[in-house]
């Protein structure tokens, strides 16, 4: 969880304050070395347990992701496997039929041509003739597009000020719901979280964010409908500092990416944050609806031009046969995918792991 985010280290004073007063009084110089040794053993045990839990969680996530990507797998991998079934050799007719399948899965014409050109080169170079071998080649090529983004743009919390995430996106992509789920992830990781309702154009958006705040137990800063969004954010920064907030997440108005005046409002919010808190916003995250297919690419490019995106979240991957858009996003943009949405439940927003994603996409039905 939150593998791309490095938590702020506690300073010595904060660590001491977390100890009970009677424990502080009981600690003496003569027992300090013993306590240090016990803490090392304890930490080692915790790390081992944590790794074991992470491994079990990863295995469980693989099964869930495989199930939720079923529509994409049916339109892509199952059709590809049916194409390979009974074929005795790799020929140009096979590549032509494969091209149609890949384009239908919404990988995009340009990406499909790149993938097939690389596959042809490897088939010739390795003198492959078994269609099943071509399946492995395609899986590895696709994984390369995703893995190159792995670990890109790791973020760390500032030493004192709050870590500010500004979330943008068009109407209907699940932006506010995604914000609530991200806030829950940070809260469950031990961070103090503040939500900011800077979508002041819709009363429903403010109400929805307040409901999320109550649901996960975090504060929400909001003003009346029609208030200046930048003013809301400005006041929220003061509130965040006074409450020693760790993470502040700003919800902005859902807007069409083609509306110039509305994009200018996003730029203004960004400027206000940067002026009030140098270095912020630390993350500008775009939420994309995977069901929109190639239109998501054009959205991302225009938002990136306006506010310089640093992270992406793709929602509704469980409801589309066009999951190939994930691959094309990694090809077209040098922006890391932080999360993917694979359902409606709180824990259905998951950290994006390219290795698990490809394995789940290409998994056999009996795996």
């Amino acid at each position: 969880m939150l593998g791309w985010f490095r938590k702020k280290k506690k300073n010595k004073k904060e660590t001491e304050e977390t100890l009970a007063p009677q424990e502080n009084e009981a600690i003496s110089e003569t027992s300090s070395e013993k306590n240090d040794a016990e803490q090392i053993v304890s930490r080692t045990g915790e790390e081992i347990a944590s790794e074991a839990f992470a491994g079990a969680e990863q295995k469980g996530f693989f099964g869930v992701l495989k199930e939720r990507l079923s529509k994409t797998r049916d339109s892509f991998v199952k059709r590809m496997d049916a194409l390979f079934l009974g074929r005795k050799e790799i020929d140009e007719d096979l590549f032509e039929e494969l091209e149609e399948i890949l384009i239908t899965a919404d990988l995009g014409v340009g990406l499909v041509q790149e993938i097939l050109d690389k596959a042809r080169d490897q088939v010739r170079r390795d003198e492959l003739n078994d269609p099943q071998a071509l399946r492995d080649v395609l899986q590895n090529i696709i994984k390369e597009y995703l893995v190159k983004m792995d670990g890109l743009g790791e973020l760390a919390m500032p030493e004192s000020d709050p870590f500010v995430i500004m979330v943008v996106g068009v109407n209907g992509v699940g932006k506010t719901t995604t914000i609530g789920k991200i806030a829950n992830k940070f809260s469950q990781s031990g961070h103090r979280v503040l939500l900011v309702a800077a979508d002041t154009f819709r009363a429903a958006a403010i109400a929805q964010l307040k409901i999320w705040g109550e649901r996960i137990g975090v504060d929400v800063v909001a003003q009346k409908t029609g208030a200046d969004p930048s003013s809301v954010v400005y006041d929220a920064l003061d509130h965040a500092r006074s409450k020693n907030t760790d993470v502040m997440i700003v919800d902005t108005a859902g807007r069409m990416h083609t509306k110039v005046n509305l994009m200018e409002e996003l730029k203004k919010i960004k400027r206000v944050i940067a002026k009030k808190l140098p270095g912020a916003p630390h993350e500008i995250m775009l939420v994309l609806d995977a069901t929109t297919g190639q239109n998501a690419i054009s959205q991302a490019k225009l938002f990136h031009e306006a506010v310089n995106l640093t992270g992406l979240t793709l929602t509704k991957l469980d409801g589309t046969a066009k999951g190939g858009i994930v691959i094309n996003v990694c090809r077209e943009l040098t922006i890391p995918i932080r999360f993917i949405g694979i359902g409606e439940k709180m824990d259905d927003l998951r950290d994006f792991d390219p290795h698990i994603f490809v394995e789940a996409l290409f998994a056999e039905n009996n795996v």
Side-chain angles (χ1 to χ4, degrees):
M1 184 167 67
L2 299 172
W4 50 273
F5 185 86
R6 289 189 287 112
K7 188 174 180 178
K8 177 172 61 178
K9 295 181 180 179
K10 288 186 177 181
N11 58 39
K12 183 177 180 181
K13 180 179 179 181
E14 289 175 320
T15 302
E16 291 173 350
E17 288 175 349
T18 62
L19 296 173
Q22 63 270 24
E23 291 176 332
N24 278 327
E25 293 172 2
I27 294 175
S28 65
E29 294 181 3
T30 57
S31 62
S32 62
E33 292 183 2
K34 179 182 177 181
N35 288 340
D36 289 343
E38 289 175 348
Q39 288 172 5
I40 291 172
V41 173
S42 175
R43 282 198 300 271
T44 303
E46 288 175 359
E47 289 171 0
I48 293 172
S50 177
E51 289 172 4
F53 175 79
E57 185 183 50
Q58 193 174 70
K59 289 179 182 178
F61 176 46
F62 174 81
V64 172
L65 186 58
K66 177 175 175 265
E67 176 189 346
R68 303 294 172 80
L69 290 177
S70 60
K71 291 185 178 181
T72 297
R73 291 175 63 247
D74 288 347
S75 70
F76 175 22
V77 179
K78 280 189 177 180
R79 290 181 62 197
M80 184 177 66
D81 288 341
L83 173 64
F84 291 160
L85 186 64
R87 300 294 282 260
K88 301 297 183 182
E89 61 179 3
I90 300 174
D91 54 24
E92 195 55 38
D93 288 340
L94 181 65
F95 275 110
E96 288 181 2
E97 293 183 58
L98 185 58
E99 179 179 10
E100 180 183 347
I101 292 173
L102 295 175
I103 290 176
T104 303
D106 220 39
L107 272 73
V109 176
L111 175 59
V112 169
Q113 291 302 320
E114 279 187 16
I115 289 174
L116 294 182
D117 286 346
K118 290 180 179 180
R120 287 187 180 96
D121 289 342
Q122 188 163 341
V123 166
R124 285 193 295 266
R125 184 171 62 251
D126 297 343
E127 297 182 354
L128 302 176
N129 200 41
D130 180 6
Q132 289 302 315
L134 178 57
R135 185 187 195 277
D136 294 336
V137 168
L138 291 169
Q139 181 174 344
N140 290 331
I141 291 172
I142 287 173
K143 184 182 288 188
E144 287 176 3
Y145 284 102
L146 301 181
V147 170
K148 73 176 183 179
M149 304 298 293
D150 194 21
L152 180 66
E154 183 183 67
L155 299 171
M157 186 179 294
E159 286 301 316
S160 56
D161 293 316
F163 180 85
V164 180
I165 303 175
M166 178 177 165
V167 184
V168 301
V170 303
N171 287 316
V173 298
K175 180 166 53 64
T176 305
T177 298
T178 297
I179 288 171
K181 293 179 179 180
I182 293 174
N184 183 64
K185 281 180 174 288
F186 277 109
S187 180
Q188 292 297 312
S189 297
H191 297 87
R192 293 180 293 271
V193 181
L194 176 68
L195 299 180
V196 183
D199 180 357
T200 60
F201 295 100
R202 294 187 306 119
I206 299 173
Q208 185 182 4
L209 200 67
K210 287 181 177 179
I211 290 171
W212 271 106
E214 292 175 2
R215 182 179 179 186
I216 60 180
V218 302
D219 290 342
V220 178
V221 170
Q223 294 182 15
K224 64 181 181 180
T225 306
D228 180 6
S230 298
S231 175
V232 177
V233 173
Y234 187 91
D235 292 343
L237 283 166
D238 286 334
H239 181 85
R241 280 173 162 169
S242 68
K243 297 293 184 178
N244 294 319
T245 298
D246 295 318
V247 181
M248 184 177 113
I249 307 177
V250 181
D251 184 16
T252 61
R255 61 201 67 219
M256 291 302 296
H257 53 289
T258 53
K259 300 294 185 180
V260 175
N261 59 324
L262 295 178
M263 295 298 278
E264 287 300 319
E265 182 62 47
L266 287 182
K267 294 179 183 179
K268 180 182 177 183
I269 293 173
K270 181 184 176 182
R271 288 195 302 270
V272 168
I273 294 173
K275 186 174 181 179
K276 182 79 170 178
L277 183 62
H282 308 93
E283 171 88 330
I284 303 179
M285 181 179 293
L286 173 66
V287 179
L288 294 170
D289 181 344
T291 65
T292 61
Q294 295 303 308
N295 187 45
I297 301 293
S298 61
Q299 287 180 28
K301 288 181 176 179
L302 289 170
F303 272 102
H304 192 42
E305 290 175 5
V307 291
N308 193 24
L309 302 171
T310 60
L312 301 172
T313 292
L314 273 76
T315 63
K316 308 179 186 178
L317 274 170
D318 58 314
T320 181
K322 299 180 178 182
I325 188 61
V326 174
I327 306 161
N328 209 11
V329 164
C330 288
R331 170 186 178 261
E332 293 285 342
L333 308 166
T334 55
I335 306 169
I337 299 175
R338 305 296 193 191
F339 304 106
I340 54 173
I342 55 172
E344 298 296 326
K345 295 180 181 179
M346 185 77 79
D347 61 354
D348 284 336
L349 184 73
R350 300 293 188 115
D351 284 29
F352 178 65
D353 185 314
H355 301 279
I356 296 178
F357 182 86
V358 175
E359 288 174 14
L361 185 62
F362 279 84
E364 302 286 351
N365 288 332
N366 58 350
V367 176

